[in-house]
Amino acid sequence: MHPGLSTSFFFDAKLGRVELTGREHFRVIEDERGLALVPTRALMRGERVPMTVFFQEGTAPTSARFILVVHASEAARQVEVTRQPRTLASYREGEQQARAEVWQCREDKARLEARCSGQAGLLGLLAQGLLGEGGIADKTITQSVISRPGNTLTSIMARSYRSSATHGEDGGKRVRLAVELSLMNNGSTPWTPAGAVLVGPDGMEWKALGVSPLEPIAPGELGRVGVEVETTEEAARGVFNLKLWGQEASGGSEFFDGVTFP
């Protein structure tokens, strides 16, 4: 926008009200379907002015926010705004995501409380419902895990673990998965684990709940790295890829294919 030049906004929904910061610096003409703004000379070039319009209907989105920028010589003379109400499916998706986040927070809280109360071993697993009748299932996967070409680290031994299923907030079953690797550092500098992601057969990424121990592996030496994730029981099937990255700024990611769980 530019002082002295009019900018008109047209909407496909009826307006309820308009909130314009520094309204005294504008000449404003508005009705149910739009408004026209004419900035005065009091506005400086480059100044940014927030404006929020609220619609009369109660369906979402109930408002729209704009940032009006004062230009040295030009102004948008006409702005057409099309409002797209959210669908029922969109609301349901948002609700499911919120429920999943709440459930994850509760799980994290339970895990922290178990640790703080001294229940870090089997009692901690029992407190979180992760030890079922069959205990923790484990599987040797040394032969199936393949280190990708270009890796600094090579997998020498590998073992995977699966907890008993627990019921999530949404009623679905969740499991904890863990993989432990003995890694050879073939590089010339130490490598220290920082984070990990487990990628499922469908491309879904499961961020690690924890990576341990966070200790450097010296060049030419073996080191152990354990990774734990949480997935749905259904998603825990199939062949996974493991992506590790280190704390060192110069290092890239390390990839290991062929990870499976009991």
Side-chain angles (χ1 to χ4, degrees):
M1 61 182 181
H2 179 74
L5 298 180
S6 172
T7 298
S8 298
F9 290 80
F10 297 96
F11 300 86
D12 64 348
K14 292 183 178 181
L15 299 183
R17 72 179 193 277
V18 177
E19 292 182 356
L20 178 63
T21 302
R23 193 182 183 100
E24 65 274 13
H25 299 312
F26 292 84
R27 294 203 305 272
V28 182
I29 302 173
E30 60 181 287
D31 60 20
E32 289 186 341
R33 290 294 182 179
L35 69 152
L37 305 175
V38 182
T40 67
R41 298 291 177 182
L43 295 175
M44 303 297 293
R45 182 176 63 182
E47 187 171 347
R48 304 169 71 87
V49 181
M51 180 181 73
T52 304
V53 299
F54 296 86
F55 302 106
Q56 291 186 20
E57 295 90 344
T59 56
T62 57
S63 63
R65 189 170 187 269
F66 303 87
I67 299 295
L68 311 177
V69 182
V70 180
H71 193 272
S73 59
E74 300 178 357
R77 305 309 297 269
Q78 182 172 311
V79 180
E80 297 276 352
V81 181
T82 302
R83 177 168 169 254
Q84 296 180 340
R86 290 182 63 182
T87 63
L88 179 59
S90 174
Y91 277 111
R92 287 176 175 171
E93 182 180 353
E95 181 184 6
Q96 291 175 354
Q97 181 177 355
R99 289 170 65 90
E101 290 175 353
V102 170
W103 182 85
Q104 183 64 58
C105 288
R106 289 178 177 174
E107 285 290 299
D108 293 342
K109 179 175 178 288
R111 185 169 61 254
L112 289 173
E113 287 178 344
R115 289 178 180 175
C116 292
S117 64
Q119 299 178 0
L122 293 178
L123 290 178
L125 296 176
L126 285 170
Q128 298 176 62
L130 299 178
L131 274 183
E133 184 176 342
I136 299 292
D138 68 299
K139 176 182 180 182
T140 299
I141 55 173
T142 300
Q143 298 300 321
S144 65
V145 174
I146 300 174
S147 308
R148 288 191 189 177
N151 273 12
T152 299
L153 306 175
T154 301
S155 176
I156 304 301
M157 291 187 294
R159 197 166 189 82
S160 62
Y161 305 86
R162 177 200 293 261
S163 74
S164 296
T166 59
H167 287 281
E169 185 73 18
D170 58 359
K173 291 186 176 182
R174 315 279 296 191
V175 295
R176 295 283 182 87
L177 304 176
V179 58
E180 183 181 36
L181 303 175
S182 291
L183 300 174
M184 170 66 72
N185 183 355
N186 300 306
S188 58
T189 59
W191 185 89
T192 308
V197 167
L198 195 65
V199 183
D202 57 355
M204 176 72 73
E205 292 189 352
W206 303 91
K207 187 176 180 180
L209 297 175
V211 179
S212 179
L214 299 178
E215 299 176 356
I217 303 175
E221 297 291 334
L222 275 175
R224 182 182 65 86
V225 175
V227 176
E228 180 183 1
V229 302
E230 183 176 74
T231 72
T232 63
E233 187 177 42
E234 182 177 348
R237 304 184 181 96
V239 182
F240 293 77
N241 301 322
L242 177 65
K243 175 183 176 182
L244 296 174
W245 58 90
Q247 298 180 19
E248 293 75 19
S250 59
S253 297
E254 305 288 323
F255 296 92
F256 303 90
D257 301 326
V259 177
T260 59
F261 296 91

